[in-house]
Amino acid sequence: GAGVSQSPSNKVTEKGKDVELRCDPISGHTALYWYRQSLGQGLEFLIYFQGNSAPDKSGLPSDRFSAERTGGSVSTLTIQRTQQEDSAVYLCASRGTGGNYEQYFGPGTRLTVT
Amino acid sequence: KQEVTQIPAALSVPEGENLVLNCSFTDSAIYNLQWFRQDPGKGLTSLLLIQSSQREQTSGRLNASLDKSSGRSTLYIAASQPGDSATYLCAVNSNAGNMLTFGGGTRLMVKP
């Protein structure tokens, strides 16, 4: 089937506004990851969902960031009261239940906070 | 905490050359290692995945090796082409199923 999809592909928002980024994983994949890629920091892990387990939120940079995964499929990453340092590309990946734990990435959402 | 380093940060070669990209990691207790390609403004494309029990993986002109005990992996690209120009990222999975830790990438330019 289709790969990982993300929307929107680009988002420009004003400082202080809230934004929602969406990820549709590969059908049947039980694990879903959010990463952030910024110029100064490289590619960093944000949050990880596995089935019905509590998510691993250890990479979220502040309490302005949150994510949910509804019905074990689609995930939404929400950033409240956006700051300029939130400008980055937000990448989503999913993984199936196969033994090699290979992650498949979406095209990303480029967020610009003005 | 796992740290991943890639050297060089940028590389420019003439078309046809064979080249090696390097990746090192600080904690040898890894589950697997992935090499990705990223084109400008695009997401990540998985190139090769090496399990911790494996020494190398090959796909076409690409060969990735893993020396877990020394904390190193290399990506060998044979007969480079301008279409190989991209950023190559190395990522380590230190705990089966959990997050990847990425290196800073090597930006490769292959000149015609």
Side-chain angles (χ1 to χ4, degrees), chain B:
Chain B
K1 177 186 173 186
Q2 179 73 268
E3 293 182 0
V4 182
T5 304
Q6 290 186 248
I7 294 174
L11 180 63
S12 180
V13 300
E15 182 177 4
E17 270 203 9
N18 302 324
L19 58 100
V20 174
L21 307 181
N22 296 291
C23 172
S24 61
F25 45 95
T26 55
D27 186 346
S28 62
I30 67 169
Y31 188 78
N32 63 37
L33 182 147
Q34 275 185 266
W35 281 94
F36 294 90
R37 169 185 173 137
Q38 186 173 34
D39 293 283
K42 305 293 185 182
L44 305 182
T45 300
S46 181
L47 297 173
L48 290 163
L49 181 148
I50 312 178
Q51 300 287 10
S52 62
S53 59
Q54 297 175 322
R55 297 286 291 182
E56 64 179 315
Q57 281 285 337
T58 298
S59 175
R61 294 182 294 109
L62 304 180
N63 176 277
S65 68
L66 174 64
D67 184 343
K68 198 173 71 165
S69 61
S70 67
R72 295 179 187 174
S73 176
T74 61
L75 180 67
Y76 175 82
I77 303 177
S80 59
Q81 303 171 357
D84 295 331
S85 298
T87 296
Y88 290 81
L89 292 156
C90 163
V92 170
N93 183 345
S94 297
N95 182 359
N98 283 359
M99 77 291 281
L100 295 174
T101 303
F102 283 85
T106 294
R107 191 169 65 254
L108 173 66
M109 172 75 72
V110 180
K111 298 180 178 178

Side-chain angles (χ1 to χ4, degrees), chain A residues 38-49:
Chain A
S38 52
L39 279 177
Q41 300 297 324
L43 233 158
E44 307 169 288
F45 163 77
L46 296 177
I47 188 168
Y48 158 58
F49 295 88

